[in-house]
């Protein structure tokens, strides 16, 4: 069975600085997709970034980028120029041939002014 | 991204009553919808997967007679919590996707259920 692990329950970053959130996963599938979702205090789940496993190039979305290491089964999220609005719980997620999303435990990010 | 709505956003009910939660995809056809439950400061727990026009598939440990799911159209899925009890109090979230492999799931804003 596939698993997703986020080993950092809480992280903090100074406004305008850079922070990296860690995520590792385990799977025997060759085709799969990885996601980072953000859940602010409103609890609305918001897609941050998406990565197809078959693509070697790391996905980027403005200030958000990933470091996808397929062999190491690692999928970290880097947030550059952190803003107060980035404060949220971040979930790493995996989907394979079942179509179901498997979530990590989540990392709560605090942004300090 | 695609927009998914959920109604109601918050509901308080008495123990023993039933509550229906609606999930709508507003700007795309959702072949597949998912229902999750989330406890405070925890991850999302998948309850069931529903495909338009067919019966929902429930995850292990989820009572299908208690959590009735209907996916009658490509834009609407409903979750009915039957004979609700205080332990059913939780945050329920739906998501929708086109059903294609690897397709992104878009989430509704969630429904906070409190059973007294």
């Amino acid at each position: 069975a596939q698993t997703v692990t986020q080993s950092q329950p809480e992280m903090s970053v100074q406004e305008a600085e850079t922070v990296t959130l860690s995520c590792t996963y385990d799977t025997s599938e060759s085709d799969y997709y990885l996601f980072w979702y953000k859940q602010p205090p409103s609890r609305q789940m918001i897609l941050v970034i998406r990565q197809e496993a078959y693509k070697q190039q790391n996905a980027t979305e403005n200030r958000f980028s990933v470091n996808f290491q397929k062999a190491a089964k690692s999928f970290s999220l880097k947030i550059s120029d952190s803003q107060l609005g980035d404060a949220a719980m971040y979930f790493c997620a995996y989907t394979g041939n079942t179509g179901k999303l498997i979530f990590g435990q989540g990392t709560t990010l605090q942004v300090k002014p | 991204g695609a927009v998914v709505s959920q109604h109601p956003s918050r509901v308080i009910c008495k123990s023993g009553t039933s509550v229906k939660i609606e999930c709508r995809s507003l700007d795309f056809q959702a072949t597949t919808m998912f229902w999750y439950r989330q406890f405070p400061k925890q991850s999302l727990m998948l309850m069931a997967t529903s495909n338009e026009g067919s019966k929902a598939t429930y995850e292990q440990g989820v009572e299908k007679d208690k959590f009735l799911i209907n996916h009658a159209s490509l834009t609407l899925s409903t979750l009915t919590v039957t004979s609700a009890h205080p332990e059913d109090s939780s945050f329920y979230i739906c998501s929708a996707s086109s059903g294609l492999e690897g397709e992104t799931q878009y989430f509704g804003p969630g429904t906070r259920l409190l059973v007294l």
Side-chain angles (χ1 to χ4, degrees):
Chain A
Q2 296 80 25
T3 59
V4 177
T5 302
Q6 293 177 249
S7 59
Q8 306 156 316
E10 297 180 352
M11 292 282 285
S12 67
V13 63
Q14 208 69 35
E15 195 175 6
E17 297 294 306
T18 296
V19 65
T20 298
L21 307 184
S22 300
C23 173
T24 58
Y25 60 95
D26 190 27
T27 184
S28 58
E29 296 179 316
S30 56
D31 292 328
Y32 53 89
Y33 303 78
L34 297 163
F35 305 83
W36 278 98
Y37 282 92
K38 166 185 177 181
Q39 188 178 42
S42 67
R43 302 189 78 172
Q44 168 76 62
M45 293 285 285
I46 301 166
L47 176 68
V48 175
I49 204 162
R50 178 176 185 267
Q51 175 81 46
E52 295 89 341
Y54 61 83
K55 288 187 178 179
Q56 291 186 337
Q57 188 172 9
N58 289 324
T60 63
E61 284 290 339
N62 301 314
R63 298 182 294 108
F64 299 87
S65 62
V66 297
N67 184 2
F68 174 45
Q69 301 290 327
K70 191 172 183 178
K73 294 180 181 172
S74 171
F75 184 62
S76 60
L77 175 69
K78 185 172 83 171
I79 305 174
S80 304
D81 185 26
S82 297
Q83 300 176 0
L84 295 177
D86 295 333
M89 196 158 187
Y90 286 80
F91 291 99
C92 178
Y94 167 105
T95 190
N97 59 17
T98 67
K100 299 177 185 179
L101 272 177
I102 300 168
F103 287 94
Q105 302 91 326
T107 297
T108 299
L109 177 65
Q110 181 185 27
V111 181
K112 298 178 180 178
Chain B
V3 180
V4 177
S5 70
Q6 209 172 319
H7 178 81
S9 59
R10 181 176 297 195
V11 58
I12 301 173
C13 69
K14 293 182 179 179
S15 186
T17 61
S18 294
V19 174
K20 180 184 283 188
I21 302 170
E22 291 187 349
C23 177
R24 294 181 184 272
S25 59
L26 299 184
D27 53 2
F28 71 104
Q29 293 187 327
T31 304
T32 306
M33 288 185 167
F34 303 85
W35 287 94
Y36 298 85
R37 185 172 179 174
Q38 186 183 31
F39 293 103
K41 300 193 177 184
Q42 293 188 23
S43 190
L44 279 70
M45 181 185 75
L46 179 65
M47 299 174 65
T49 303
S50 73
N51 291 295
E52 185 265 339
S54 61
K55 290 184 178 180
T57 303
Y58 291 82
E59 294 300 300
Q60 192 171 11
V62 178
E63 299 176 59
K64 61 181 179 181
D65 294 331
K66 179 161 189 65
F67 299 100
L68 300 179
I69 292 171
N70 183 274
H71 191 164
S73 76
L74 287 172
T75 59
L76 174 65
S77 176
T78 59
L79 167 68
T80 301
V81 183
T82 62
S83 186
H85 288 98
E87 57 265 30
D88 298 324
S89 299
S90 191
F91 191 66
Y92 293 88
I93 310 175
C94 72
S95 72
S97 80
S98 64
L100 298 175
E101 181 180 321
E103 191 61 34
T104 299
Q105 288 185 28
Y106 295 96
F107 287 81
T111 296
R112 191 182 307 275
L113 170 64
L114 177 61
V115 184
L116 301 177

